[in-house]
Amino acid sequence: MALVEATRLWREYHLGGEVVEALRGIDLNIEQGEFVALLGRSGSGKSTLLNLLGGLDRPSRGSIRVNGVELAEMSKTELSLYRRTTVGFIFQSFNLVTSLRAWENVALPLVFQGIGRFERRKRAHGLLERVGLGKRANHVPSEMSGGEQQRVAIARALVNDPKLLLCDEPTGNLDTATSEQIMALLDESHRAGTTLVMVTHDPELAEKHTQRTLKMADGQFLTEVAA
Amino acid sequence: MKGILGLAFEGLLRKKGRNLLTMSGVLIGVFALTMIVSLGEGLAHAVTDTVSGQDNLRQVGVTGGFGIELSNDPFDVSIEGEMPDDRRERLRRAAVNRRQIRQWYGRRVTQVTEETMATLATLPHVESISPVIVERYEVKVGEFESGPKLSFGVDVAQRRYEGRIIAGSYFSAPDAGEVILHEYLLYKWGMLEGDDYSGVLGKKISLKSIINEQDPAANAPPQMQGFMEGLTPEEREAAMKLLPRLMGMAQQTRKPVEREFTVVGVMRETIPGDPLNIIEDGQSVQADVFLPLETARAMFEESAVNAQLGYPAAVVIVDSPDNAPGVEQAVRDKGFTAFSVASVLKQVETMLTVITVIIAFLTGIALIVSTLGIVNTMITSVLERTREIGIFKAVGATNAQVMAVFLTESAMIGLVGGLLGLGLAVLAMLPGDAIGGAMIAERAAIPYRGNVFVLPMWLAVAGPALGAVTAVLAAIVPARRAARIDPVKALRHD
């Protein structure tokens, strides 16, 4: 069964009287356990698609079903609950809360689930061990390297055990060696059964790590390249 | 919710300086409000404490009155005919003035007599009633002699005056034929030096009622004497013709009464700190001769005029201070003039409350200004943390939860500011009590040993709570703005 089913998906923005069509009637199926790359230049619509998949944004037209549930018809609160339970985000710029310690950043999604501090701390530490940062739990982001920060972000994305992990250029700000460590972690969670969608502009990276690459331009898929 | 509290707390710590400044606004507001309300409370306590001893609040003073019939409203007068308004008004006034005078003639007088006191004793909530006996006598002790001096009947059992004895002793019994003299009378008699009052102590004293056939006004009952003073002889004569009708007084000459007693003590003037009985002290303030009440009563009643006119006043004791104003009104409805400390106290307390509320309201402006500071701080905070709000939303925070984070932050500013304001107020009350106490001691005749500032329990809770509530209200708009931030834009925000 497909985890993601999108049909004739449109997303338009209104920018000062002008209509920008970021997505133009996209159809997309992603199977449970797949690792898919979205490849394209900036402005091609890949980030918009990722935001729709993550429930941060709603389509202008069309349908997008994740795990059998229609996102296009959800209220804002329902989308929040969807993000909370189903999705994990990894961003190019890490997006950690700068004033929170590593474990607190990892545990942040659990705060909004109403989980107690003791349990939050336990689960955060477990995930930090998993990404190799067991000893850095009490450091704040500014005390960590870019690669370490992104690993904290991965731990945070995994803390709610998501079905769908959405990565927006996760290695965009990192050097090659560090990027390899990050990709290894993503591969690992892929092997563990998580479905991953990764936005990138690096065809090599896409080819090396994902099963399928969707090339995008002008809000549409150009070609579909199977790995 | 606990996690959100933590997030809010952590958010506050990030901008300590700014949040402390914002907090100080709430602090000052709550401080000022607490001080003002505590002062109002303290003053109300001071007034109550000062008068609540000696059963003051359970007493209703009663004097004779002109029975006013309400149906006979002197201002309810209509002038007939077509005429300009100013003329109508003049005629109306004239009619009112004429009618008022007619009413003076026509009014029935209610006197304080054994019979009328008995009717007052049956009123609900009345515990007891006793007459106030004030009478003028010529006084003679050996070679010392005086014209009319005021005497006062003392309820011996109450021992109120015992502490004022400076020589000799207090009454040994209500019927032992004993008299106590005021130190001022003895000073007037020439005892200028030292405290040797052996010239009068233990000596026989004669008290004799005054009859002046030449001046009928002098025979008027003591409560009318003041009214007579300052009149020309013609006016006095007219007044004396009017008096019997006014007072229902019989045209009788008074039978002179003379009795002999023993001087047993000397009483000093009241000084601050003496037990205060407002109604009784008002009657006895000029007394030079103190007699046991029963003795004074017996002498007073020997005069036929007195027996007919009744007592100058009476004091009603009510079962509880709360009922005093009601009894006061009931006594008035019976045609008497009545006065109670309780109802005056009630008025004073109402006035104090009104003043306190007004000042507290003005002080509340400080709190409103601090609210503006909070709005400003929270708006800035929301702007600065746009990206963070995006992160919160990306990891599953609902709009309500984002709002809760900011409202909680603001509530903490308000609550901590309020608690600090309360704490500061408590600290400031210590020197405030000393300074205020000294000021009261300097100006008031009656020393007050309680606190000038009294912090009621409800205020200790309401002050900080008010700070928190104001802060939350101030944060609603910024917090709502935070909640509505679009996560996609927020995550791209620098």
Side-chain angles (χ1 to χ4, degrees), chain B residues 85-129:
Chain B
D85 285 349
D86 54 346
R87 183 179 168 211
R88 188 187 302 281
E89 175 59 19
R90 286 198 308 273
L91 291 174
R92 196 189 65 80
R93 280 173 179 233
V96 166
N97 290 340
R98 276 157 183 73
R99 181 186 278 199
Q100 270 185 333
I101 288 175
R102 271 210 316 280
Q103 279 183 342
W104 275 103
Y105 281 97
R107 265 186 199 151
R108 206 165 43 82
V109 171
T110 311
Q111 298 157 326
V112 183
T113 61
E114 290 298 333
E115 282 152 40
T116 56
M117 285 201 311
T119 66
L120 293 183
T122 62
L123 287 173
H125 305 298
V126 170
E127 240 170 44
S128 65
I129 178 165

Side-chain angles (χ1 to χ4, degrees), chain B residues 97-422:
Chain B
N97 290 340
R98 276 157 183 73
R99 181 186 278 199
Q100 270 185 333
I101 288 175
R102 271 210 316 280
Q103 279 183 342
W104 275 103
Y105 281 97
R107 265 186 199 151
R108 206 165 43 82
V109 171
T110 311
Q111 298 157 326
V112 183
T113 61
E114 290 298 333
E115 282 152 40
T116 56
M117 285 201 311
T119 66
L120 293 183
T122 62
L123 287 173
H125 305 298
V126 170
E127 240 170 44
S128 65
I129 178 165
S130 58
V132 173
I133 314 282
V134 195
E135 180 69 310
R136 279 165 201 277
Y137 294 112
E138 285 172 356
V139 184
K140 190 164 182 285
V141 183
E143 76 266 31
F144 302 111
E145 225 174 316
S146 275
K149 288 292 164 206
L150 205 66
S151 75
F152 183 77
V154 174
D155 185 344
V156 174
Q158 281 197 358
R159 317 195 79 85
R160 269 200 64 216
Y161 298 88
E162 199 170 6
R164 285 169 62 188
I165 302 295
I166 51 170
S169 61
Y170 187 66
F171 301 106
S172 59
D175 53 1
E178 293 165 340
V179 157
I180 293 172
L181 296 178
H182 196 284
E183 59 176 339
Y184 187 70
L185 179 67
L186 303 184
Y187 164 77
K188 283 296 198 185
W189 279 350
M191 298 173 210
L192 306 181
E193 282 147 33
D195 52 3
D196 177 18
Y197 299 110
S198 55
V200 288
L201 280 176
K203 300 281 161 49
K204 290 287 171 203
I205 178 170
S206 134
L207 298 181
K208 189 178 165 196
S209 59
I210 304 127
I211 297 294
N212 185 343
E213 302 292 350
Q214 305 308 311
D215 184 1
N219 292 346
Q223 66 266 41
M224 293 302 292
Q225 301 275 358
F227 175 69
M228 296 294 181
E229 274 159 31
L231 297 183
T232 64
E234 291 77 22
E235 284 170 336
R236 276 181 170 237
E237 202 176 328
M240 282 315 289
K241 279 180 188 155
L242 192 58
L243 257 182
R245 298 192 65 179
L246 279 178
M247 303 293 292
M249 188 167 82
Q251 294 274 37
Q252 292 182 26
T253 48
R254 292 165 67 164
K255 188 178 94 188
V257 180
E258 185 169 5
R259 288 274 191 95
E260 203 164 74
F261 305 97
T262 307
V263 178
V264 292
V266 177
M267 191 182 298
R268 62 160 169 75
E269 181 63 354
T270 53
I271 53 170
D274 279 343
L276 181 75
N277 186 317
I278 291 165
I279 290 175
E280 192 174 313
D281 292 351
Q283 304 280 353
S284 70
V285 66
Q286 292 174 350
D288 284 310
V289 181
F290 293 83
L291 304 165
L293 182 62
E294 287 316 309
T295 310
R297 193 167 178 169
M299 263 186 94
F300 188 83
E301 282 164 2
E302 259 183 63
S303 150
V305 175
N306 284 349
Q308 199 168 4
L309 283 180
Y311 304 105
V315 176
V316 170
I317 306 283
V318 183
D319 55 5
S320 117
D322 295 336
N323 294 324
V327 169
E328 183 188 346
Q329 190 52 50
V331 170
R332 241 182 231 140
D333 291 344
K334 293 245 176 211
F336 295 92
T337 305
F339 165 85
S340 78
V341 177
S343 65
V344 173
L345 180 66
K346 224 166 136 185
Q347 283 173 28
V348 171
E349 280 174 345
T350 309
M351 217 167 69
L352 269 175
T353 306
V354 169
I355 293 172
T356 306
V357 166
I358 291 172
I359 297 179
F361 185 76
L362 294 178
T363 315
I365 292 173
L367 212 52
I368 293 170
V369 172
S370 77
T371 308
L372 297 180
I374 293 174
V375 174
N376 188 35
T377 302
M378 293 315 286
I379 286 178
T380 315
S381 176
V382 168
L383 280 177
E384 284 173 354
R385 287 155 69 188
T386 302
R387 193 185 185 88
E388 187 177 318
I389 292 163
I391 298 171
F392 286 179
K393 289 195 161 187
V395 301
T398 61
N399 286 7
Q401 285 174 323
V402 172
M403 202 163 157
V405 170
F406 285 90
L407 289 182
T408 309
E409 272 186 30
S410 192
M412 282 165 130
I413 290 180
L415 186 65
V416 175
L419 285 171
L420 291 177
L422 176 70

Side-chain angles (χ1 to χ4, degrees), chain B residues 62-102:
Chain B
V62 180
T63 51
F66 304 101
I68 293 165
E69 283 151 41
L70 288 174
S71 60
N72 216 356
D73 180 1
F75 300 102
D76 179 23
V77 174
S78 66
I79 301 297
E80 292 167 16
E82 296 282 323
M83 62 181 80
D85 285 349
D86 54 346
R87 183 179 168 211
R88 188 187 302 281
E89 175 59 19
R90 286 198 308 273
L91 291 174
R92 196 189 65 80
R93 280 173 179 233
V96 166
N97 290 340
R98 276 157 183 73
R99 181 186 278 199
Q100 270 185 333
I101 288 175
R102 271 210 316 280

Side-chain angles (χ1 to χ4, degrees), chain A:
Chain A
M1 188 196 116
L3 181 68
V4 177
E5 297 170 274
T7 40
R8 286 186 293 286
L9 202 57
W10 284 78
R11 182 66 175 104
E12 293 159 355
Y13 296 106
H14 298 263
L15 287 176
E18 214 173 318
V19 178
V20 178
E21 295 174 334
L23 284 184
R24 301 195 295 165
I26 272 184
D27 292 310
L28 172 66
N29 273 3
I30 298 172
E31 295 300 316
Q32 183 94 47
E34 255 196 299
F35 192 165
V36 176
L38 293 178
L39 196 66
R41 295 167 190 278
S42 64
S44 61
K46 53 191 192 319
S47 289
T48 304
L49 180 56
L50 200 73
N51 287 337
L52 289 179
L53 289 171
L56 284 173
D57 194 11
R58 280 184 286 196
S60 306
R61 287 191 297 283
S63 155
I64 176 164
R65 299 174 71 85
V66 177
N67 208 21
V69 187
E70 179 59 70
L71 301 188
E73 286 163 10
M74 282 186 176
S75 71
K76 284 189 174 174
T77 305
E78 286 169 332
L79 282 176
S80 293
L81 299 181
Y82 162 73
R83 293 194 295 268
R84 186 186 289 177
T85 53
T86 315
V87 188
F89 283 100
I90 297 163
F91 303 92
Q92 179 178 359
S93 54
F94 322 136
N95 273 334
L96 298 177
V97 178
T98 50
S99 57
L100 295 181
R101 288 176 283 183
W103 82 263
E104 290 168 329
N105 264 293
V106 173
L108 189 61
L110 305 179
V111 167
F112 299 110
Q113 293 179 30
I115 289 169
R117 184 181 164 91
F118 181 79
E119 175 72 10
R120 290 205 303 270
R121 194 173 189 127
K122 201 176 93 185
R123 279 161 74 171
H125 276 91
L127 277 156
L128 284 170
E129 290 287 350
R130 209 167 119 188
V131 299
L133 289 177
K135 296 209 165 85
R136 307 284 271 157
N138 287 321
H139 290 255
V140 290
S142 61
E143 295 166 353
M144 291 188 272
S145 70
E148 285 174 328
Q149 289 190 45
Q150 193 62 305
R151 282 192 273 164
V152 172
I154 291 172
R156 180 182 65 191
L158 294 174
V159 76
N160 60 346
D161 210 3
K163 282 197 144 43
L164 186 59
L165 198 55
L166 302 172
C167 318
D168 194 350
E169 308 220 19
T171 59
N173 284 359
L174 303 173
D175 59 52
T176 319
T178 315
S179 296
E180 283 305 321
Q181 293 174 8
I182 296 302
M183 289 315 297
L185 282 172
L186 295 183
D187 286 341
E188 186 189 318
S189 75
H190 177 225
R191 282 196 297 277
T194 312
T195 309
L196 284 92
V197 177
M198 179 174 71
V199 163
T200 180
H201 55 258
D202 181 349
E204 270 181 48
L205 192 75
E207 199 184 335
K208 187 173 172 191
H209 292 278
T210 69
Q211 297 163 312
R212 187 155 62 115
T213 301
L214 301 168
K215 281 193 180 170
M216 288 191 76
D218 297 328
Q220 287 180 317
F221 293 129
L222 285 181
T223 52
E224 195 168 308
V225 185

